[in-house]
Structures are given as C-alpha cells and as structure tokens.
Amino acid sequence: MTNLYYAIVGTTTDTNMGLARFMGVILAFIVVVGTLFWAIGG
C-alpha cells in the first residue's frame, strides 16, 4: 500500500498537489466501483 501511495503521490515536496492527486484517485475509484455495483445491481 505504501508503494502505491508513493507511486501516486510521488516523493516531491509538493505535498498538497500529491495529496490532491491521491484523493482524486480514491474518488475516481469509488465512482467506478459504485457505477459497477449500480450496473450489476440494476
């Protein structure tokens, strides 16, 4: 999980940008999973 975090956020000092990107990835993941569940559950 830590490797994935570093892969997304990166090791740069721009923590805010990395955090925003990380949150964006989480949000996108939730949207995709939610859409799949909605499509399957109908």
Side-chain angles (χ1 to χ4, degrees):
M1 184 59 193
T2 309
N3 289 340
L4 179 63
Y5 176 82
Y6 279 118
I8 295 170
V9 177
T11 54
T12 59
T13 54
D14 195 357
T15 313
N16 289 336
M17 193 62 208
L19 187 62
R21 198 183 315 149
F22 184 65
M23 293 300 265
V25 169
I26 293 177
L27 188 64
F29 179 76
I30 291 174
V31 169
V32 169
V33 172
T35 303
L36 284 175
F37 273 112
W38 175 79
I40 294 172

